[in-house]
Amino acid sequence: MKRFLITGGAGFIGSAVVRHLIAATNFEVCVIDKLTYAGNTANFDKAADSGRLQFFQTDICDAPAVADIFEKFRPTNVMHLAAESHVDRSIDGPAEFIRTNIVGTYTMLEAARSFYNTLDEAGKKEFRFHHISTDEVYGDLDDSGDFFRETTPYAPSSPYSASKASADHLARAWMRTFGLPTLVTNCSNNYGPFHFPEKLIPLVILNALDGKELPVYGSGKQVRDWLYVEDHARALVTVSLNGAPGETYNIGGNNEKTNIEVVESICSLLDELAPREDGKPYRGQIVHVSDRPGHDLRYAIDASKIKTELNWTPEESFDSGLRKTVLWYLEHRDSWCRTVAEDARKRRGKGE
């Protein structure tokens, strides 16, 4: 029986993995999550009813607590998703990104190494440590027309991407030096249900519905490859089960869009699904603001390796995935608006 230990399992991508594992397999699942602003156990409420899910509210930097969870749960597969991931927040306060993304990854790797060394040969053969990362570690493609490949040199631009690049290197070093069987995946921009509304798509949806401005950095011509989160969850489980230790797999949605195209697509869907009372189009709420420092122009993933070697391809197009996402936020608007308001109060130091 496979036993999956998932860090950050109450977050956006992590909870999608949890829901997929519970729904599509008979594996045991254990979640470690600190429950920061972006983590919520409600993200996997239905999965918790399965009887196959354990949860520990634990900081991945707490080495004794993490080691104890390894010993109690005895995983066959570790999927390390816990991370600070918002670029703007990393610019405002890099320290937490260094602590969680670098020190936290080190702590997880050391706990995994200690546990791995207690296993018999059959257990060692089965064990995998899968580190989940981002395409932002590769830097900026400009308008070259090229794609990020697994062999693309690292050139991170923000404190966030630099911290993730460091974590990637640690995962690979722990295999080269200590023999811990690690895998690394680098994904493109995710979107879908349960996404905390600080990222572009959920923020635009909720701001539009609230009649607020829809801020777009600079010209809005920055290009991203968009990946529906449930497609990503399937890919991650595929890699964890079938990927070769020591390998890296890029995961993309084959959906390159400029930021302004994404915002305008959301506006068009809302015009159809939740028209404004005054009958005006949501596009009238778009405003262009000063660009982010060090903002990369284009990310684009070549996902041919995971397709060829592991037979994975995304099931959702951008249009189908975006419609599902907008509909989900419309159905859950009130709860997510409260979540945004509470986070804003906490960030101002006025909340409890």
Side-chain angles (χ1 to χ4, degrees), residues 153-218:
Y154 277 24
S157 303
S158 69
Y160 161 60
S161 57
S163 68
K164 291 296 290 185
S166 177
D168 293 8
H169 291 315
L170 289 175
R172 295 186 181 105
W174 257 242
M175 179 164 178
R176 176 71 180 264
T177 302
F178 302 116
L180 184 70
T182 65
L183 305 109
V184 176
T185 51
N186 299 86
C187 69
S188 57
N189 279 34
N190 278 225
Y191 70 102
F194 297 98
H195 206 176
F196 187 81
E198 63 183 355
K199 303 294 177 72
L200 179 64
I201 288 177
L203 182 64
V204 168
I205 294 169
L206 294 182
N207 276 4
L209 294 171
D210 284 345
K212 298 178 180 178
E213 292 183 341
L214 308 179
V216 175
Y217 278 130

Side-chain angles (χ1 to χ4, degrees), residues 24-285:
T25 76
N26 63 349
F27 302 155
E28 298 287 329
V29 179
C30 178
V31 169
I32 298 177
D33 201 295
K34 187 179 177 181
L35 295 184
T36 63
Y37 71 94
N40 191 334
T41 55
N43 292 353
F44 53 68
D45 265 350
K46 292 181 180 179
D49 296 336
S50 68
R52 292 185 284 118
L53 176 62
Q54 299 180 44
F55 171 71
F56 294 91
Q57 184 174 350
T58 302
D59 186 341
I60 59 169
C61 294
D62 185 342
V66 170
D68 187 55
I69 293 169
F70 266 89
E71 182 57 34
K72 289 178 177 176
F73 184 67
R74 304 194 66 80
T76 58
N77 298 72
V78 178
M79 297 180 72
H80 177 43
L81 293 109
E84 295 287 343
S85 65
H86 193 234
V87 175
D88 286 349
R89 290 185 190 241
S90 81
I91 294 170
D92 293 338
E96 192 59 30
F97 287 72
I98 303 304
R99 179 182 182 276
T100 300
N101 298 356
I102 301 177
V103 178
T105 299
Y106 159 76
T107 304
M108 286 298 303
L109 286 165
E110 279 293 87
R113 179 165 74 100
S114 295
F115 173 72
Y116 178 77
N117 287 338
T118 69
L119 299 175
D120 59 22
E121 288 307 309
K124 287 181 177 178
K125 185 176 181 180
E126 187 177 28
F127 186 84
R128 298 288 184 272
F129 186 103
H130 178 184
H131 172 62
I132 289 83
S133 189
T134 171
D135 60 357
E136 295 190 40
V137 298
Y138 297 125
D140 192 351
L141 287 168
D142 294 317
D143 56 357
S144 64
D146 201 359
F147 294 88
F148 294 138
R149 297 176 178 84
E150 288 80 2
T151 55
T152 300
Y154 277 24
S157 303
S158 69
Y160 161 60
S161 57
S163 68
K164 291 296 290 185
S166 177
D168 293 8
H169 291 315
L170 289 175
R172 295 186 181 105
W174 257 242
M175 179 164 178
R176 176 71 180 264
T177 302
F178 302 116
L180 184 70
T182 65
L183 305 109
V184 176
T185 51
N186 299 86
C187 69
S188 57
N189 279 34
N190 278 225
Y191 70 102
F194 297 98
H195 206 176
F196 187 81
E198 63 183 355
K199 303 294 177 72
L200 179 64
I201 288 177
L203 182 64
V204 168
I205 294 169
L206 294 182
N207 276 4
L209 294 171
D210 284 345
K212 298 178 180 178
E213 292 183 341
L214 308 179
V216 175
Y217 278 130
S219 66
K221 298 298 184 182
Q222 303 88 355
V223 176
R224 300 294 183 261
D225 174 22
W226 291 93
L227 173 65
Y228 192 62
V229 68
E230 293 180 11
D231 279 333
H232 190 198
R234 289 189 305 103
L236 292 178
V237 173
T238 297
V239 170
S240 291
L241 291 174
N242 302 314
E247 292 295 321
T248 298
Y249 299 90
N250 282 349
I251 306 172
N254 303 318
N255 291 306
E256 285 189 64
K257 302 287 182 182
T258 64
N259 286 347
I260 191 64
E261 284 178 319
V262 172
V263 174
E264 289 175 347
S265 294
I266 294 170
C267 289
S268 295
L269 280 169
L270 290 174
D271 288 338
E272 173 195 345
L273 300 170
R276 285 174 38 155
E277 290 183 1
D278 61 8
K280 295 181 179 179
Y282 284 98
R283 291 189 186 198
Q285 295 169 222

